[in-house]
Amino acid sequence: MDMNIVDVLLSIGIPAGTKGFTYICDAMEMFDKDPYYAGGKIGVLYHEIAKKRDSTSSRVERAIRHAFVTAIKKGDEDQLKRYLDLSNTQNSNLLRTLYLKTRQNNGRFSEKNAAYSRERIELKKQVYMELLDWLLEKVEKDTDVLLQ
């Protein structure tokens, strides 16, 4: 577990003994491994954490929401403003904001994820090109059959 995330969660007022604390740490680790989750697939993120922790997606979502609500009600205002966007308190927004701001503060965000994103873009290009080649070949075969 990234100790910086633990420090940030404690500083904003999320109690370490809650399940939400652990689930948020898991979410931050998954954001690091695959930007697919940070890009908006929060429901899938809940499911993956639930599988990992032998729980359900709804329990994971509820525990994370409870952790954030506790922090917002009882936490350090300055730290909350530093790491969270309190104008939109949906879990998805709070998780993404927390991730982005902790990575920006660490200086690891841009370098690591930029390289990963380039790899991912190249892989997508390759898959799309292979798909287009297959589709073109299929259309040509079907056209030849119709013309005969």
Side-chain angles (χ1 to χ4, degrees):
M1 194 179 312
D2 186 356
M3 291 310 293
N4 183 49
I5 294 294
V6 171
D7 292 341
V8 169
L9 294 179
L10 292 172
S11 74
I12 64 175
I14 296 178
T18 64
K19 288 183 181 180
F21 185 95
T22 304
Y23 296 158
I24 293 170
C25 289
D26 289 343
M28 297 299 112
E29 288 176 14
M30 293 174 88
F31 282 177
D32 266 346
K33 291 178 184 172
D34 190 351
Y36 169 81
Y37 299 112
K41 306 303 180 199
I42 299 299
V44 177
L45 177 77
Y46 295 151
H47 179 71
E48 293 297 320
I49 293 170
K51 280 194 324 190
K52 178 180 178 181
R53 298 290 178 180
D54 195 31
S55 187
T56 65
S57 298
S58 61
R59 287 179 182 163
V60 169
E61 186 275 331
R62 188 172 49 245
I64 290 173
R65 184 171 12 98
H66 174 71
F68 281 131
V69 167
T70 301
I72 291 168
K73 286 183 180 177
K74 299 178 181 179
D76 181 351
E77 275 188 54
D78 292 334
Q79 292 295 337
L80 285 166
K81 288 178 184 175
R82 181 176 177 193
Y83 290 104
L84 300 176
D85 175 15
L86 299 177
S87 64
N88 179 356
T89 58
Q90 291 180 326
N91 279 0
S92 57
N93 182 57
L94 293 173
L95 285 169
R96 279 189 216 103
T97 304
L98 177 65
Y99 174 72
L100 292 173
K101 289 189 176 183
T102 55
R103 293 306 171 231
Q104 286 173 343
N105 288 341
N106 282 348
R108 295 188 298 169
F109 173 77
S110 58
E111 187 178 307
K112 180 179 180 182
N113 286 341
Y116 187 82
S117 293
R118 281 190 297 275
E119 286 177 22
R120 206 167 159 92
I121 289 169
E122 290 303 315
L123 181 62
K124 280 184 179 181
K125 282 181 185 177
Q126 180 182 352
V127 169
Y128 290 144
M129 292 306 296
E130 289 174 8
L131 182 61
L132 284 173
D133 289 343
W134 175 83
L135 187 59
L136 182 59
E137 184 179 308
K138 181 92 171 135
V139 168
E140 287 175 353
K141 283 181 182 178
D142 290 347
T143 304
D144 289 343
V145 169
L146 288 173
L147 291 176
Q148 290 178 359

